[in-house]
Amino acid sequence: MDANEPLAFRMRPKTLDEYVGQEHVLAKDKVLYRTIKADRLSSIILFGPPGCGKTSLARVISETTKYKFYKINAVTAGVADIKRVIEDTKNFMLNPAGKSILFIDEIHRFNKLQQDALLPYVENGTIILIGATTENPYFEVNKALISRSMVIKLNPLTEENIYQILKNALTKKEGLGEYNIKIEDETLRKLAIISNGDVRTALNGLEVATLTTAMNEDGYIHLTDDIIKNSVQERKAVFDKNGEQHYDNISAFIKSMRGSDPDAAVFYLARALNRWRRSNVFSKKNYNMCI
């Protein structure tokens, strides 16, 4: 175990059996599960909120497939990196299969020229593309790439999913299994709740709590509600003013009013105002007037 690697990185699954959550696409009777198991994957675009398992799913595929697997990040990569992968893929000495899987994280960061560079090789099957994005790909990804790929939406993980991952992290050697930790199930479930579907937030909070808490005289690290709360700080409300969450929130607000649900309407209104205040969309004066 590399102690320099974050817990969230160390706890990424290596097989489909280790993967937790996203049963709507990864249950044993679902197409995505069957294609990964059979190593007959076609190009896919994965989109969903942070911490829902997009990169973890790509890692599972990399451990499962017989094809050469490449990973690049669209934030730092460019056309030259794409060309290098294609050249290596076409090199029979390096890759007798003549086909490879290219995982592009944050694919929405690629501009049109960079995305266009992928098109002919995705179309002829030289490259099996796996793109991951937190943005709606129908707005951010080249329509030609979308038409040649299967678009899969990943949902925020459920509280039960995150609780299970946290339990695994406490027992596995690559996780925190070598630490003597005592934590109540109720406290662990509270951590799962305040992470708001983001398993990375939950694991980071658990790791911070463990590493910053002194061992008691009994030889155990006792993690209480207060310690966990201070390690995570506040529940995150996933919201953006331009993207998918913006329209989801507005839709929920309107439906709450039409359904005569005042509590829900106030919640979604406050959520929007809080996000707008943080991003300075409103001036302080206008914000106070809205309140």
Side-chain angles (χ1 to χ4, degrees), residues 158-188:
T158 66
E159 292 165 14
E160 189 60 36
N161 292 153
I162 295 177
Y163 171 76
Q164 183 179 341
I165 293 170
L166 291 172
K167 291 287 283 186
N168 291 340
L170 289 171
T171 56
K172 289 190 174 182
K173 184 178 179 181
E174 63 268 28
L176 299 171
E178 295 185 345
Y179 292 84
N180 292 329
I181 300 172
K182 280 192 175 181
I183 181 171
E184 297 292 335
D185 275 357
E186 184 180 351
T187 301
L188 210 59

Side-chain angles (χ1 to χ4, degrees), residues 255-276:
K255 288 176 181 177
S256 300
M257 291 192 295
R258 286 178 175 173
S260 301
D261 188 340
D263 291 339
V266 170
F267 169 77
Y268 289 113
L269 175 61
R271 190 170 181 231
L273 288 173
N274 181 60
R275 177 61 183 86
W276 284 328

Side-chain angles (χ1 to χ4, degrees), residues 61-179:
I61 294 170
S62 73
E63 298 285 346
T64 306
T65 184
K66 64 178 181 290
Y67 297 115
K68 200 166 180 65
F69 187 93
Y70 297 91
K71 176 183 176 181
I72 61 176
N73 191 302
V75 176
T76 56
V79 173
D81 298 280
I82 296 172
K83 289 181 177 179
R84 177 182 54 80
V85 171
I86 292 167
E87 288 172 3
D88 289 351
T89 300
K90 289 183 173 182
N91 188 324
F92 182 77
M93 298 296 292
L94 294 175
N95 187 13
K99 178 184 289 190
S100 64
I101 295 178
L102 174 59
F103 172 59
I104 303 178
D105 204 5
E106 307 290 344
I107 192 172
H108 63 277
R109 298 291 190 94
F110 268 169
N111 59 37
K112 187 178 185 301
L113 177 64
Q114 292 166 320
Q115 292 185 30
D116 284 346
L118 290 164
L119 273 176
Y121 307 101
V122 171
E123 189 169 24
N124 65 22
T126 302
I127 294 293
I128 298 172
L129 173 67
I130 303 176
T133 174
T134 55
E135 305 294 331
N136 190 326
Y138 293 104
F139 297 119
E140 303 294 339
V141 178
N142 189 316
K143 289 182 174 58
L145 273 181
I146 290 288
S147 69
R148 291 164 174 80
S149 307
M150 180 166 52
V151 178
I152 297 173
K153 183 176 181 180
L154 301 185
N155 300 321
L157 295 179
T158 66
E159 292 165 14
E160 189 60 36
N161 292 153
I162 295 177
Y163 171 76
Q164 183 179 341
I165 293 170
L166 291 172
K167 291 287 283 186
N168 291 340
L170 289 171
T171 56
K172 289 190 174 182
K173 184 178 179 181
E174 63 268 28
L176 299 171
E178 295 185 345
Y179 292 84

